[in-house]
Amino acid sequence: MGGVNLDFRTPDMLNRPTGRPDRRTFAIISHPDAGKTTLTEKLLLFGGAIHLAGEVKARGQNRRAKSDWMKIEQQRGISVTSSVMTFEHQGVTFNLLDTPGHEDFSEDTYRTLTAVDSAVMVIDAARGIETQTRKLFEVCRLRNVPIITFVNKVDREGREPFELMDEIADKLALDVAPMSWPVGMGGTFEGIFDLIGNKLHRPAATDSGHFEGDSLPFSGLDDPKLGEAVSPEGLAKLHEEAGLALGAYPQFDSDAYLNGDLTPVYFGSALKEFGVAELIAALTALAPSPLPQPSATGTVDPDDKAVSGFIFKVQANMNPQHRDRVAFMRLCSGRFRRGMKLLQPSTGKSIAVHSPILFFAQNRELADEAFPGDIIGIPNHGTLRVGDTLTEDEAIRFTGLPNFAPEILRRVMLVDPTKTKQLRKALDDMAEEGVTQVFHPQIGSQWIVGVVGQLQLEVLISRLEVEYKVDARFEASPWDTARWIASDSEADLKAFIGTHRNAVATDRDGAPVFMAKDMWELNFHENRNPTIRFTATKERV
Ligand code: G4P
């Protein structure tokens, strides 16, 4: 029985840079409680984190590391630490983007995943694929994001590794390639066999929460010396299972992984720091470097000279004293320098980025340059919106950051009518963050909010109350679905809007939206008006 063939890399697809710093920009997708926080913390610690994020539960010593940044947060009155976390390993900088923990599919999550080049999927060994993992996976699939799987908590009783592998393959319709294999689980756990490096990682006798065990090299699963490292039962099981697994599942194939068709599977325990080093090694060796990004005029290559990037997230200030917000830009090409002027094509204006927040910097305040794959936080007063391009090359307009047609439409009712101004401001802010969409009907004065999931409504109500002190209620609206409408014929569009004034609203950019009671009604109007385009997504280009 040999190990896995390592001769699989196709450097061109991995897009490794020459002459500029290398990055891995990724997200972790998982169901709540699978261990995302614990794994994040271990990755940060292991990789010599440049800073620790506020959201990650800081324990003991780690607490100190985040304090400097917290001060900056307080001075600026912003809260950004949890959004991007950065660590370094062997000359590669890793940018880990936090995916919001909403239960519903949210636009926010989708957009965050547009800014990554790959993802790590964390699965609880006792629970397998859960609903949220699956939803986030589907979002990744929409964009063929390559995924490395980490089966967590093997230190506890879990399900049989084969069962888990098959479940990933079946439920996600994804090929699975075993990269490591556990020797027992829970009470019978004796370590993890690295099928690539032919090493056995064994736990230490005492449990410090860090990996302090040993890693023993072998010539392969057949190496007779393995019998001295694990119990006869453990060895028999490893031989049988891992041998079978290597034959039963496909070998790792870089192209299939990069296309999002195959996931390499690692077993480990975030809590005991087992398999974390292998995961970082996998991200370093297998995951793609910053990839070319789609734009209206073809892809933009990271090696292109002109600096360009897109805004994938806007975070409004959590501190009611200040109304600053931070726009998060993924840098796609060029070498960004502090203070440089970039064109914002959606407004036709240029903005000077004087005080970017550079997450990868040892000392954020002194950092003054960034490279493709990096995330730059740009404090602003609402000029920058999700989907905006910022560029030195005026021809570039990034695509792929759509607004989604809402699936739930509600009328907003103010309990105290004197708070109209605050309500407008709050809805505007939250629309900007992608928490909701706001529509202004042609007839009537009530705003309509549109969301893609029920949870977003709850978030909205609670934020209105807590952050804006606005007591509002949502009422059912007569509409169930909405579509942006456009036409090559101005006259046709005008006529359509004229005859359906009670079902037409404008979004916050002033674009017309048609609201329908149900899909039947929508189809009816689509068929009746072939010159009108009804679209479920809208891009800001
Ligand atoms: P999440 O961010 O995905 O929601 O999960 P989180 O890391 O918070 O982990 C959820 C629970 O699972 C935590 O226990 C955590 O300690 C535990 N956990 C994470 N990784 C492992 C692992 O590899 N092995 C084992 N045995 N447990 C793991 P908790 O009791 O809910 O929280 P805490 O008091 O430990 O913080």
Side-chain angles (χ1 to χ4, degrees), residues 26-75:
F26 74 106
I28 298 180
I29 59 170
S30 64
H31 191 83
D33 271 349
K36 183 171 90 167
T37 313
T38 313
L39 181 64
T40 302
E41 186 178 288
K42 295 294 159 108
L43 286 171
L44 293 173
L45 286 172
F46 193 90
I50 290 161
H51 78 276
L52 282 185
E55 195 100 311
V56 177
K57 291 172 213 157
R59 293 186 184 114
Q61 244 197 341
N62 322 340
R63 279 203 192 93
R64 257 182 289 142
K66 70 172 188 179
S67 59
D68 284 354
W69 179 230
M70 296 292 281
K71 255 184 272 156
I72 302 170
E73 282 199 334
Q74 279 160 12
Q75 278 163 12

Side-chain angles (χ1 to χ4, degrees), residues 72-79 315-326 380-381 425 429 467-468:
I72 302 170
E73 282 199 334
Q74 279 160 12
Q75 278 163 12
R76 297 196 187 194
I78 48 174
S79 164
Q315 204 166 306
N317 189 359
M318 297 292 152
N319 178 348
Q321 302 306 310
H322 309 264
R323 282 286 172 225
D324 265 11
R325 61 205 70 197
V326 174
N380 71 102
H381 297 294
K425 170 91 185 91
D429 277 359
E467 287 171 41
Y468 297 90

Side-chain angles (χ1 to χ4, degrees), residues 4-157:
V4 171
N5 177 15
L6 249 187
D7 184 21
F8 46 61
R9 292 173 204 155
T10 45
D12 45 335
M13 280 188 78
L14 290 168
N15 220 38
R16 297 284 180 253
T18 49
R20 69 178 149 82
D22 200 4
R23 304 289 190 245
R24 299 288 178 280
T25 303
F26 74 106
I28 298 180
I29 59 170
S30 64
H31 191 83
D33 271 349
K36 183 171 90 167
T37 313
T38 313
L39 181 64
T40 302
E41 186 178 288
K42 295 294 159 108
L43 286 171
L44 293 173
L45 286 172
F46 193 90
I50 290 161
H51 78 276
L52 282 185
E55 195 100 311
V56 177
K57 291 172 213 157
R59 293 186 184 114
Q61 244 197 341
N62 322 340
R63 279 203 192 93
R64 257 182 289 142
K66 70 172 188 179
S67 59
D68 284 354
W69 179 230
M70 296 292 281
K71 255 184 272 156
I72 302 170
E73 282 199 334
Q74 279 160 12
Q75 278 163 12
R76 297 196 187 194
I78 48 174
S79 164
V80 288
T81 29
S82 59
S83 301
V84 186
M85 289 157 269
T86 301
F87 58 94
E88 257 181 351
H89 188 64
Q90 292 185 339
V92 175
T93 296
F94 295 79
N95 297 318
L96 168 51
L97 273 55
D98 191 37
T99 44
H102 302 165
E103 276 169 35
D104 290 343
F105 166 80
S106 86
E107 296 185 46
D108 216 13
T109 308
Y110 181 88
R111 293 189 189 120
T112 296
L113 290 170
T114 60
V116 301
D117 298 299
S118 70
V120 170
M121 176 167 72
V122 179
I123 292 171
D124 184 327
R127 308 183 72 102
I129 300 285
E130 299 176 85
T131 47
Q132 183 69 355
T133 334
R134 200 177 178 145
K135 282 184 192 166
L136 288 163
F137 170 78
E138 293 303 339
V139 179
C140 287
R141 172 156 274 173
L142 287 173
R143 309 190 60 250
N144 297 340
V145 174
I147 293 172
I148 294 176
T149 300
F150 186 79
V151 179
N152 191 27
K153 307 194 187 182
V154 292
D155 57 303
R156 276 206 325 215
E157 294 305 330

Side-chain angles (χ1 to χ4, degrees), residues 141 145-149 173-177 179 249-265:
R141 172 156 274 173
V145 174
I147 293 172
I148 294 176
T149 300
L174 189 66
D175 280 341
V176 287
M179 306 300 266
Y249 299 112
Q251 282 212 347
F252 179 79
D253 172 335
S254 190
D255 289 359
Y257 158 68
L258 293 168
N259 284 329
D261 296 330
L262 171 143
T263 181
V265 180

